[in-house]
Amino acid sequence: MLQQARTFITDMYNELNFSEEACTERLANIEREIAETGTYRHTTEELTYGARVAWRQSNRCIGRLFWEKLTVMDARDIQDEADFIDAIHNHIEYATNGGRIKPTITIFAQSDIPGPKIFNNQLIRYAGYADKGDPAEREVTQLAEYLGWCGKGTDFDILPLIYQLPNQPVKYHTYPESLIMEVPIQHKNYPKVATLGLKWYAVPIISSMDLKIGGITYPTVPFNGWYMVNEIAVRNFTDSYRYNLLETFAEAMGFDNLRNTSFNKDRVMVEINDAVYQSFRQAGVSMVDHLTASKQFEQFEHNETQQGRAVTGKWSWLAPPLSPTLTSNYHHGYRNEVREPNFFYKEKTTSGCPFH
Ligand code: ARG
């Protein structure tokens, strides 16, 4: 831990042009704290900087240009259930910001101190049933049902928050409806699309990853940016193992020949992206298209190079799933080295269920 703390603090003080004396002094304090207590506590400044750098070093993320704009909510001292729910509501409301989405992270207790746990993949997500809803959320849905939650059984039931406080049972909490912003999907050239009754939520808030900074692990750190259109249009709506809606959209758009060589599958795919983007725009909800996102990523690479830092990345994630060759990042490789601070997937227990 001391060694990782040293690396983190030294890097931070260098990047921020803090004096060498200040660095030496902080390191001496950390060393003493670890010797006495077995761990140490970040200052709010270290926490904020660490979370932002974790974003900057997230190899799968194409949206990293904005890493310095991350709002960091320090919720490390929250132990009380009502305060916890408040902090979650506050995150959703602040990040949603009436549609002008603000990248935000709320950081709860570090792992060596008992604190709240979240069992959802994202704070806002649709339930998945045997043949309704989002198949990617079937496990979490079963957990919610086991706890006594009962959804309406539609394709778009907002899952409750599933959480646990120290020395308490796992519980669920249903959000007030007014807290959750959703966007109905329509397409100006294909009026039938609106009649499908499709929608998606405005803000993707990942809640299943650990944040590691300077040898300290933060296990409960919901964080969000805004959506890139393909995430919803190409993947969530169209993957055969998700909502599987290609044929549904095709029919609503009047494409009856879906044979490979008609290229209509591809045409429909483009129009689904157009529909999702237009709909978010019209609803006043932030969203980026893939071509703009990859331009922004190029700018990020440029900025990093100017700062004398090497950009790492995971090519298979940075290449967008629609027209990838139209973006520059398709055409060169990235080093997928994982540096800390960073976000990490939690190790999955075999069932994913906290009871088994
Ligand atoms: N791909 C995930 C989803 O469709 C969200 C991942 C985070 N995305 C983001 N734009 N920050 O829900």
Side-chain angles (χ1 to χ4, degrees):
M1 182 186 282
L2 181 57
Q3 200 177 322
Q4 287 174 298
R6 272 202 191 110
T7 310
F8 168 65
I9 296 292
T10 314
D11 286 352
M12 168 174 164
Y13 276 58
N14 279 338
E15 269 188 28
L16 301 178
N17 285 318
F18 292 170
S19 75
E20 222 165 297
E21 299 81 70
C23 186
T24 315
E25 191 184 326
R26 178 61 179 133
L27 283 176
N29 283 334
I30 289 175
E31 190 166 350
R32 198 171 325 118
E33 199 177 337
I34 293 177
E36 279 167 16
T37 69
T39 184
Y40 75 106
R41 184 179 160 100
H42 290 127
T43 64
T44 304
E45 195 175 16
E46 288 160 4
L47 191 72
T48 302
Y49 168 84
R52 288 178 179 160
V53 173
W55 184 7
R56 188 177 84 201
Q57 303 191 141
S58 288
N59 290 356
R60 302 178 199 85
C61 179
I62 195 173
R64 287 182 266 165
L65 176 61
F66 305 100
W67 68 275
E68 283 171 297
K69 303 243 152 64
L70 179 66
T71 297
V72 181
M73 309 274 196
D74 184 351
R76 286 177 295 172
D77 294 326
I78 289 186
Q79 290 292 338
D80 179 78
E81 184 166 6
D83 294 344
F84 168 69
I85 301 288
D86 263 4
I88 296 294
H89 283 188
N90 185 48
H91 183 129
I92 295 174
E93 195 178 338
Y94 179 90
T96 306
N97 191 30
R100 287 182 56 88
I101 296 172
K102 292 189 194 169
T104 304
I105 184 168
T106 301
I107 304 180
F108 293 96
Q110 61 194 69
S111 64
D112 41 34
I113 295 171
K117 271 200 175 74
I118 296 176
F119 296 93
N120 306 72
N121 296 310
Q122 294 182 25
L123 294 186
I124 301 165
R125 207 70 171 139
Y126 296 120
Y129 309 101
D131 44 31
K132 277 263 170 219
D134 189 347
E137 293 295 332
R138 283 189 189 141
E139 229 171 64
V140 176
T141 304
Q142 280 175 16
L143 172 56
E145 288 172 339
Y146 177 88
L147 294 169
W149 176 79
C150 187
K152 292 207 176 84
T154 77
D155 275 323
F156 301 103
D157 295 351
I158 301 280
L159 281 166
L161 176 69
I162 304 177
Y163 66 97
Q164 182 173 35
L165 282 117
N167 308 312
Q168 285 198 40
V170 178
K171 296 184 186 170
Y172 72 90
H173 165 78
T174 309
Y175 299 118
E177 254 173 58
S178 60
L179 189 66
I180 311 299
M181 190 176 270
E182 294 178 287
V183 177
I185 305 301
Q186 41 89 20
H187 191 310
K188 62 178 184 322
N189 304 343
Y190 302 106
K192 268 195 176 166
V193 167
T195 68
L196 297 173
L198 303 174
K199 57 179 173 175
W200 203 258
Y201 53 87
V203 194
I205 314 173
I206 308 275
S207 53
S208 58
M209 293 181 90
D210 289 339
L211 167 61
K212 291 190 188 174
I213 304 173
I216 302 288
T217 299
Y218 296 95
T220 306
V221 289
F223 63 89
N224 73 279
W226 49 77
Y227 265 116
M228 180 165 87
V229 61
N230 319 141
E231 299 183 81
I232 300 170
V234 181
R235 307 303 309 278
N236 304 350
F237 278 170
T238 309
D239 277 345
S240 59
Y241 50 90
R242 297 291 299 286
Y243 278 80
N244 193 21
L245 291 169
L246 190 76
E247 287 182 18
T248 307
F249 271 107
E251 204 182 300
M253 293 171 177
F255 293 95
D256 41 16
N257 174 2
L258 286 186
R259 274 196 295 275
N260 292 346
T261 49
S262 72
F263 294 95
N264 281 337
K265 284 188 180 173
D266 307 76
R267 282 190 186 93
V268 173
M269 184 69 102
V270 171
E271 296 301 343
I272 300 173
N273 281 267
D274 195 350
V276 171
Y277 189 80
Q278 287 176 26
S279 305
F280 269 63
R281 261 275 124 124
Q282 188 160 24
V285 176
S286 310
M287 168 168 275
V288 68
D289 68 86
H290 53 303
L291 302 181
T292 305
S294 62
K295 266 282 164 230
Q296 291 169 343
F297 192 75
E298 268 183 74
Q299 180 66 48
F300 168 71
E301 294 182 85
H302 175 78
N303 295 355
E304 289 301 291
T305 308
Q306 290 234 305
Q307 294 296 321
R309 295 190 290 254
V311 174
T312 57
K314 188 165 169 119
W315 186 93
S316 61
W317 276 63
L318 294 172
L322 186 71
S323 310
T325 58
L326 298 182
T327 69
S328 87
N329 53 20
Y330 181 89
H331 299 281
H332 64 90
Y334 292 91
R335 240 170 15 104
N336 189 20
E337 186 206 334
V338 178
R339 294 175 299 193
E340 289 185 22
N342 219 315
F343 295 100
F344 295 87
Y345 292 126
K346 286 186 192 302
E347 285 152 41
K348 268 234 161 192
T349 51
T350 31
S351 74
C353 172
F355 298 105
H356 298 99

